[in-house]
Amino acid sequence: MKRTFFVDFDGTITKRDTSEAMVAAFAGEGWQQINELWEKREISTEECANRTFKLFRATLDDLRNLLDTIEIDEGFGSFVNYCKKNSHPVYILSDGYDFCIEYILKKYGFKLPYFANKLVYEKEFRISCTYYNQECGLCGTCKRSLMERLTVPGSQTVYVGDGISDTCPAGYSNLVFAKGKLLEYCLAEGIPALPIASFVDVLEKLS
Ligand SMILES: [Mg+2]
Ligand SMILES: [Zn+2]
């Protein structure tokens, strides 16, 4: 069966969410309240990020040092090889930042197409949302509309994710592998999802 794989980055490919790590390391008082509004989907990713960045005290070098501490999922390499061997395209869809994805993929030697928000740094950080979808109005990078655009016609769509920004595309996927908040959401909404702890489980369930 032909499949198109869509994979979240933060907390799914990486063990720790890089946006959460950035906020914990660099943001001053007040970010929790902003984040709560975002988790309830009351403010958009763009608004959440730009308000949070106002509280940041950090440079790009600080960010690189932080990213050096981020590890990736132990099964991800085997998963990528499996997809290559079977000619299943893999796309990374992220409501995080291009800078972080680029840095970490390079460090671990992966070359994969990804779609994410742009991290702009001019004395301070700013977000730029190239893949915003007006119909959705919340995601910075709307994974749902990217999925519609990127799915190979006639193929089964498979989504792998862990968080709030994955709830938007989950209901539109043929098959969902989920952990964390995405799994909770799927259970609550009655969206069929296979629970995973890592890509080791994804591979096991695929074969
Ligand atoms: Mg995530
Ligand atoms: Zn969306």
Side-chain angles (χ1 to χ4, degrees):
M1 186 189 308
K2 199 89 202 108
R3 287 177 166 142
T4 311
F5 283 87
F6 298 98
V7 181
D8 169 53
F9 185 73
D10 284 293
T12 301
I13 293 175
T14 62
K15 289 191 178 173
R16 191 172 175 209
D17 185 307
T18 62
S19 297
E20 284 176 21
M22 282 166 78
V23 168
F26 305 142
E29 282 297 293
W31 66 265
Q32 288 93 341
Q33 290 89 324
I34 304 169
N35 188 62
E36 252 170 54
L37 292 175
W38 179 78
E39 290 206 341
K40 286 190 249 165
R41 297 196 58 90
E42 286 176 15
I43 58 170
S44 69
T45 297
E46 185 177 21
E47 184 181 345
C48 174
N50 282 332
R51 279 171 66 178
T52 306
F53 283 145
K54 291 268 175 274
L55 309 170
F56 264 42
R57 294 286 168 271
T59 64
L60 272 185
D61 271 339
D62 296 328
L63 177 54
R64 287 189 193 97
N65 289 336
L66 178 69
L67 293 176
D68 276 330
T69 68
I70 304 281
E71 293 171 48
I72 64 163
D73 183 281
E74 57 272 17
F76 186 62
S78 315
F79 167 77
V80 171
N81 289 338
Y82 166 89
C83 291
K84 257 190 206 145
K85 216 171 77 191
N86 293 285
S87 309
H88 299 312
V90 179
Y91 294 100
I92 297 171
L93 304 182
S94 170
D95 207 15
Y97 300 103
D98 59 348
F99 184 91
C100 304
I101 297 173
E102 186 73 37
Y103 189 90
I104 290 169
L105 289 183
K106 206 176 199 172
K107 183 178 153 188
Y108 284 93
F110 291 108
K111 278 204 182 90
L112 291 165
Y114 65 84
F115 298 83
N117 301 309
K118 202 170 166 37
L119 183 66
V120 184
Y121 184 79
E122 294 150 343
K123 286 186 198 149
E124 52 181 42
F125 290 102
R126 188 163 57 76
I127 188 175
S128 166
C129 305
T130 323
Y131 304 106
Y132 177 81
N133 164 19
Q134 207 123 39
E135 257 176 67
C136 162
L138 286 169
C139 308
T141 296
C142 188
K143 302 182 182 194
R144 191 209 314 169
S145 55
L146 282 164
M147 234 171 60
E148 281 166 10
R149 205 172 95 193
L150 297 166
T151 299
V152 177
S155 73
Q156 187 190 43
T157 52
V158 185
Y159 195 86
V160 190
D162 78 314
I164 304 288
S165 69
D166 304 313
T167 59
C168 190
Y172 298 84
S173 307
N174 297 121
L175 183 59
V176 180
F177 291 101
K179 59 181 182 177
K181 293 200 165 118
L182 176 62
L183 183 60
E184 286 169 26
Y185 173 85
C186 289
L187 291 173
E189 297 295 316
I191 297 168
L194 297 169
I196 54 159
S198 81
F199 276 98
V200 175
D201 299 333
V202 174
L203 269 183
E204 212 178 88
K205 289 178 190 200
L206 283 172
S207 53

